[in-house]
């Protein structure tokens, strides 16, 4: 919302005074990445992913629960791979000394933050996996 | 292995994973990475797990999605749907079928300040359905009208479906928003015609109401003024060129939050719930888009689109027949599958074919949105019909489906018109260039 307010102010300044706020778009790109990544653990916790539950309906509730647990494990594996690759990616950005175009701010801290949030998402998904497998015992 | 075989195996693997209840976005990521690894090795394949998502996560265009979702959340919390409906009902309620016309108009107006079709249908089910039933409107007709009104959202900018199409097809969001204006007006008009025909054939479905006093009408219009202001700020700013799409999304999010607070309708609990729902929806959309991007990368590397173009180029059929075949395939796919996911999975194959046939990607985007709109009310999995049934369990699913049939016909007419006359969609963006 802060970034939205800044973007709004930037647009208004450009329209009314022909003086856009320097660097809003510049900073926006990396801040957006962090803000959006913050949504991923929430989405995993809320199980907001779209999946088709035909097998569970056709083969019964127990099969459905088993497939849910298996799917949660698959999601966990993919999240681990993504978090790992983003950690490597942030390191690459740091070594290359990449900066934003206008304000010349180093971008690697933002990408390390993205990687850290993804590792948090891995932990959240781990909880989801444990919960899904515990349903199988009941 | 030929590109077509790789593509077919990739799609088969994707469907197996989806049938095993793996989330669609994750399934696309897995198939994309494994398919890429089998062609180029694991080390480069794994790097696309960061290189592709990093571009999407920092995309200013895609960031409009969470902002429009927030606008919808705040607009719903502020009770805008009730205000719009009350104003429309005060103006039209005394006519035969007036509340149905008001529902379509209200849904269209609310759709302009809410990013989601399902949210539009759900909020109008709460605002309009009890009033329609209280005034003696038929259950199926009432529910059908609300379902049809909810689907209109997909075609009314700012539409999240359109933004996703533009991101994946690499077309300009503004162009698609402009192209959608005339088709959206046509869709509203066809829905109103459908209501007119129904109430002429079955007057008992929609009895006339009492005419409201001028003072009440003015009060209702005054209550709806903030929504109008929000619409003018977002649409006026966007289409006059004052704001970019991203800035318009920011205006929408900030103003809707301010209105919700100013009207005292946003407490801590509803704000927190709204933010959590928006965050979850954002995560879901980004994971699907990341999946589509990784999957497209694999398909492009395997040269599947080129092989398909060569195959279809060798067929002795007209371009229009291929387009109709694809639309029918989408309608069938949408009946058993999530429509947006179906669009994102098939776009890497289908769009190159469409462009090779000489059609415009913006025009195809509009057709895709209309097909998605239809998929939301067509049996057996019409998501909006299910939502309405969930909110009004006393109305049988069969009754709701019967009620939406005239609106399905209206949407099919719209789809046929847009397919046969691409200028309906393309004239305005071309004129503005």
């Amino acid at each position: 919302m802060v970034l939205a307010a800044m973007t709004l102010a930037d647009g208004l300044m450009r329209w009314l005074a022909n003086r856009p706020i320097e660097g809003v778009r510049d900073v926006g790109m990396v801040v957006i990445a962090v803000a959006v990544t913050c949504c991923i653990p929430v989405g995993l916790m809320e199980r907001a992913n779209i999946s088709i539950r035909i097998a569970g309906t056709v083969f019964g509730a127990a099969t459905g629960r088993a497939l849910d647990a298996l799917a949660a494990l698959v999601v966990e594996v993919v999240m681990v791979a993504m978090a790992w690759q983003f950690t490597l990616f942030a390191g690459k950005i740091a070594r290359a000394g990449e900066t934003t175009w206008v304000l010349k701010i180093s971008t690697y801290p933002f990408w390390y933050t993205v990687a850290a949030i993804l590792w948090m998402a891995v932990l959240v998904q781990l909880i989801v996996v444990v919960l899904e497998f515990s349903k199988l015992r009941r | 292995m030929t590109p077509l075989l790789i593509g077919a195996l990739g799609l088969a693997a994707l469907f197996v994973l989806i049938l095993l209840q793996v989330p669609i976005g994750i399934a696309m990521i897995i198939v994309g990475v494994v398919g890429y690894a089998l062609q180029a090795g694991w080390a480069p394949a794994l790097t696309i797990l960061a290189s592709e998502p990093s571009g999407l996560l920092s995309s200013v265009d895609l960031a409009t999605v969470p902002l429009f979702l927030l606008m919808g959340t705040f607009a719903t919390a502020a009770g805008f749907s009730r205000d719009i409906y009350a104003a429309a009902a005060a103006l039209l309620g005394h006519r035969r079928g007036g509340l149905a016309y008001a529902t379509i108009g209200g849904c269209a107006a609310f759709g302009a300040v809410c990013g989601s079709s399902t949210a539009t249908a759900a909020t109008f089910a709460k605002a309009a359905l009890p009033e329609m039933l209280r005034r003696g409107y038929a259950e199926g007709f009432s529910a059908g009208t609300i379902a049809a009104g909810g689907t209109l959202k997909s075609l009314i900018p700012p539409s999240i479906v359109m933004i996703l199409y533009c991101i994946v097809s690499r077309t300009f969001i503004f162009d698609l928003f402009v192209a959608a204006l005339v088709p959206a007006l046509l869709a509203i008009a066809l829905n109103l015609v459908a209501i007119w025909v129904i109430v002429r054939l079955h007057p008992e479905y929609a009895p006339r109401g009492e005419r409201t006093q001028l003072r009440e009408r003015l009060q209702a219009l005054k209550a709806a003024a903030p929504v109008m202001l929000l619409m003018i700020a977002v649409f006026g700013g966007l289409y006059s060129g004052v704001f970019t799409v991203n800035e318009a999304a920011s205006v929408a999010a900030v103003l809707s939050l301010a209105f919700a607070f100013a009207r005292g309708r946003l407490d801590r609990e509803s704000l927190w719930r709204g933010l959590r729902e928006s965050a979850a929806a954002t995560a879901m959309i980004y994971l699907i888009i990341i999946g589509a991007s990784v999957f497209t990368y694999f398909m492009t590397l395997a040269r599947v689109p080129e092989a398909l173009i060569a195959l279809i180029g060798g067929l002795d059929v007209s371009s229009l027949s291929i387009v109709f075949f694809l639309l029918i395939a989408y309608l069938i796919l949408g009946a058993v599958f999530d429509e947006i996911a179906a669009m994102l999975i098939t776009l890497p194959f289908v769009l190159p074919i469409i462009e090779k046939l000489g059609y415009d990607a913006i025009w195809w985007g509009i057709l895709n949105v209309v097909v998605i709109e239809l998929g939301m009310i067509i049996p057996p999995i019409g998501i909006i019909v299910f939502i309405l049934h969930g909110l009004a369990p006393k109305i049988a699913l069969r009754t709701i489906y019967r009620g939406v049939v005239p609106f399905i016909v209206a949407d099919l007419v719209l789809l046929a018109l847009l397919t046969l006359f691409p200028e309906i969609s393309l004239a305005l963006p071309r004129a503005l260039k």
Side-chain angles (χ1 to χ4, degrees):
Chain A
M1 283 310 294
V2 172
L3 191 67
M6 277 171 61
T7 308
L8 170 59
D10 179 42
L12 287 175
M13 287 293 285
R14 194 192 59 236
W15 177 45
L16 297 172
N18 202 22
R19 286 183 63 182
I21 304 169
E22 203 172 309
V24 167
R25 198 180 166 89
D26 208 33
V27 178
M29 287 175 73
V30 274
V31 174
I32 285 167
V34 175
V36 169
T37 313
C38 285
C39 298
I40 292 179
V42 182
L44 294 175
M45 187 57 104
E46 301 266 331
R47 294 162 171 84
N49 283 315
I50 296 177
S51 50
I52 309 290
R53 293 166 179 278
I54 298 174
T57 315
V58 175
F59 299 112
T63 313
R65 279 197 299 273
L67 288 176
D68 275 342
L70 189 70
L73 193 64
V74 171
V75 174
E76 174 70 343
V77 172
V78 171
M79 290 314 300
V80 168
M82 266 181 79
W84 168 47
Q85 286 303 316
F86 261 95
T87 310
L88 299 177
F89 175 76
K92 218 183 283 177
I93 297 281
R95 282 192 297 280
E98 275 189 26
T99 60
T100 61
W101 287 91
V102 180
L103 299 179
K104 303 289 175 204
I105 300 169
S106 295
T107 56
Y108 75 88
F110 294 96
W111 291 115
Y112 271 123
T113 311
V114 167
I117 299 166
L118 285 175
W119 282 114
M120 243 170 66
V122 168
L123 286 178
V124 169
Q125 185 59 24
L126 188 62
I127 296 168
V128 173
V129 172
V130 171
L131 289 173
E132 290 295 342
F133 273 92
S134 65
K135 278 186 200 166
L136 294 179
R137 284 187 176 182
R138 280 179 221 156
Chain B
M1 206 184 287
T2 64
L4 280 178
L5 188 59
I6 294 173
L9 288 175
L11 264 185
L14 185 64
F15 283 115
V16 168
L17 284 174
I18 290 171
L19 286 176
L20 290 174
Q21 295 184 188
V22 173
I24 292 168
I26 298 291
M28 284 195 279
I29 292 176
I30 293 170
V31 174
V33 171
V34 174
Y36 186 9
L38 292 176
Q39 293 174 82
W42 282 100
L46 284 170
T47 59
I48 60 167
L49 280 174
S51 59
E52 283 294 302
S54 63
L56 294 166
L57 289 173
S58 56
S59 161
V60 177
D61 288 340
L62 194 53
T64 53
V65 169
L67 290 173
F68 283 129
L69 283 173
L70 281 172
M71 172 182 73
T73 297
F74 299 140
T76 307
F80 282 170
S81 56
R82 280 196 300 274
D83 296 337
I84 296 175
Y85 180 68
L91 293 174
L92 300 166
H94 60 283
R95 294 176 186 276
R96 185 170 298 285
L99 291 186
Y101 294 125
T103 300
I104 293 294
C107 281
F110 185 67
V113 295
C114 172
S116 147
S117 293
T118 47
T120 303
T123 49
F124 268 79
K126 288 176 199 160
L129 191 58
E131 184 63 14
M132 291 172 95
L133 297 180
R134 193 182 66 79
R135 292 213 201 166
Y137 278 54
E139 285 182 341
F141 174 58
S142 306
T145 307
I146 294 168
T151 62
L152 279 175
K153 166 64 224 139
S154 306
L155 204 50
I156 295 174
S159 157
I160 286 169
V161 179
M162 286 188 208
I163 297 172
L164 298 183
Y165 175 87
C166 290
I167 297 289
V168 177
S169 65
R170 297 177 198 277
T171 44
F172 289 109
I173 297 172
F174 182 75
D175 287 353
L176 195 57
F177 277 7
V178 172
L181 279 178
V182 177
L185 291 173
L186 194 57
I188 295 168
L190 286 169
N191 275 307
L192 295 178
V193 169
I195 293 171
W196 185 83
V197 172
I198 295 166
V199 297
R200 285 290 169 285
L201 293 175
H202 300 281
E204 72 281 8
Y205 281 8
R208 285 178 196 276
E210 281 180 24
R211 185 183 281 272
T212 49
Q213 301 294 317
L214 181 66
R215 203 174 138 195
E216 286 174 59
R217 290 184 184 197
L218 290 175
Q219 269 178 346
L221 283 173
K222 194 179 158 192
V227 197
M228 301 301 165
L229 198 65
L230 184 60
M231 278 170 64
I232 291 167
V234 175
F235 277 86
L238 182 64
Y239 289 115
S240 64
V242 172
F243 296 132
T244 61
V245 176
N246 186 254
E247 286 161 357
S250 301
V251 170
V254 172
L255 275 188
S256 55
L257 176 65
F259 280 137
F261 264 126
R263 308 181 107 198
R265 286 176 176 174
L266 199 63
D267 54 32
R268 189 182 289 183
E269 196 192 324
S270 59
L271 176 66
W272 176 243
R273 193 178 54 238
L275 289 175
R276 215 178 52 212
E277 283 171 7
S278 298
T282 300
M284 180 262 286
I285 289 169
Y286 269 79
L287 275 179
I288 284 201
I289 280 283
I290 289 170
S293 171
V294 172
F295 186 67
T296 305
Y297 201 95
F298 150 59
M299 287 290 165
T300 311
L301 188 81
R303 298 179 164 273
V304 177
E306 287 99 316
L308 266 177
I309 287 168
L311 178 75
I312 287 176
L315 297 176
D316 188 23
V317 283
S318 70
S319 304
L320 205 57
S321 311
I322 295 170
V323 167
F324 272 110
F325 169 77
L326 287 171
L327 289 174
I328 291 166
Y330 271 123
L331 286 174
I332 294 168
L333 201 60
V336 292
F337 214 72
D338 178 81
E339 291 81 15
I340 296 175
M343 175 185 87
L344 295 176
I345 290 170
T346 52
L347 213 51
F349 307 99
V350 173
L351 191 59
I353 295 170
I354 290 297
E355 288 182 319
K356 186 71 186 172
L357 293 173
Y359 292 111
D360 197 300
I362 293 290
W363 168 77
W364 186 245
I366 297 291
L367 293 192
N368 258 270
V369 173
V370 176
V371 168
I372 286 171
E373 206 181 271
L374 260 164
M376 288 179 183
I377 49 173
I378 279 185
I381 311 175
I383 181 78
I384 288 187
V385 173
F386 279 96
I387 287 172
L388 279 173
H389 180 60
L391 290 168
K394 282 183 183 167
I395 305 179
L397 211 51
R398 190 188 296 175
T399 308
I400 304 177
Y401 272 127
R402 211 180 296 144
V404 296
V405 168
F407 301 100
I408 292 176
V409 173
D411 272 353
L412 287 172
V413 171
L414 174 71
L415 189 61
L417 287 173
L418 295 175
T419 308
L420 294 171
F421 307 104
E423 283 306 304
I424 296 173
S425 313
L426 299 176
L428 198 56
R430 278 182 190 154
L432 289 177
K433 270 187 182 165

